[in-house]
Amino acid sequence: MSAHRFHVPEAAPGARVSLPEHSAHHARDVLRLRPGAAVRVFDGAGAEFEATLDAVSRQGVSARIAGMAAPRPESPLHVALAVSPLRGDRMELVVQKATELGVHEIRPVVTVRTDAAARPALHGSRQDRWEKVASGAAEQCGRAVVPLVAPTVMLPALLDEPFNGLKVLFLERAGPAPLSTLPRPSRVLLLVGPAGGWEDSEVERATAAGFVTAGLGPRILSAETAALAAVSAAQVLWGDLG
């Protein structure tokens, strides 16, 4: 049985570290681990370590770090997923599954048709929760890297940001070429819109900013399905799922 894993950003060889509150709760109350339990901790930037729990109480859970451990390999494809925030827990699902699929960056972006209930994300209302979801997903799936969850921005701000790689805008309507027709990249930015789709002016501005358009097949997909299908297709074609 593999050791339980915990994301501790300040992890370093020989250090005694406290698990973040949500990880401590999971270790103590869900897994019911006790002092002396062998675990692994990782810093979220690619380093992973062997460790032993040395204190488990209601006041917190701490671990003593020993030596380095070999992390699971990351995808050779750097994937940035830009997606319109979704209402309720659907955005958390996207963050969780995108992390499992190997995404390196998640960039929430508000568009003209973004659901009004999701627009408070522009003020950082969900940032902390999404970061915790990404952290927990990395713990569960074996990654030593936690994806960056960028602050939510409006679409024009995203389009103005430099990105050194292939930039793909997914359209819900029929016609665009599939991803398989595009040149193989080492870095890709996938832009997926809201449930209501794109305004024509947004598509025009994105293509003017260097995005190419692509489709995800003949069926109409929900926004969360489209986001995860886009990541899966990119990883199968160019990453480590093929």
Side-chain angles (χ1 to χ4, degrees), residues 22 88-89 92 95-96 124-136 149:
H22 63 286
D89 60 3
E92 294 181 14
V95 171
Q96 178 189 52
S125 63
R126 301 292 290 166
Q127 182 76 22
D128 183 63
R129 176 57 186 163
W130 293 340
E131 289 174 350
K132 287 179 179 178
V133 169
S135 172
V149 181

Side-chain angles (χ1 to χ4, degrees), residues 21-36:
E21 183 178 351
H22 63 286
S23 295
H25 165 73
H26 188 69
R28 181 185 59 236
D29 301 324
V30 179
L31 300 176
R32 298 188 179 278
L33 299 180
R34 297 292 178 260

Side-chain angles (χ1 to χ4, degrees), residues 18-19 24 28 55-62:
S18 296
L19 271 60
R28 181 185 59 236
V56 180
S57 71
R58 288 295 166 190
Q59 286 67 51
V61 177
S62 62

Side-chain angles (χ1 to χ4, degrees), residues 16-96:
R16 183 176 186 265
V17 296
S18 296
L19 271 60
E21 183 178 351
H22 63 286
S23 295
H25 165 73
H26 188 69
R28 181 185 59 236
D29 301 324
V30 179
L31 300 176
R32 298 188 179 278
L33 299 180
R34 297 292 178 260
V39 298
R40 283 192 173 190
V41 299
F42 61 98
D43 64 0
E48 186 155 343
F49 308 89
E50 304 285 357
T52 303
L53 296 187
D54 66 354
V56 180
S57 71
R58 288 295 166 190
Q59 286 67 51
V61 177
S62 62
R64 179 71 66 179
I65 297 177
M68 299 284 294
R72 293 178 184 267
E74 285 289 307
S75 172
L77 178 68
H78 182 105
V79 182
L81 173 64
V83 58
S84 175
L86 304 169
R87 64 187 306 173
D89 60 3
R90 292 187 298 164
M91 187 64 177
E92 294 181 14
L93 175 70
V94 170
V95 171
Q96 178 189 52

Side-chain angles (χ1 to χ4, degrees), residues 84-87 110-121 194:
S84 175
L86 304 169
R87 64 187 306 173
V110 170
T111 71
V112 172
R113 298 181 185 176
T114 293
D115 194 299
R119 286 178 176 267

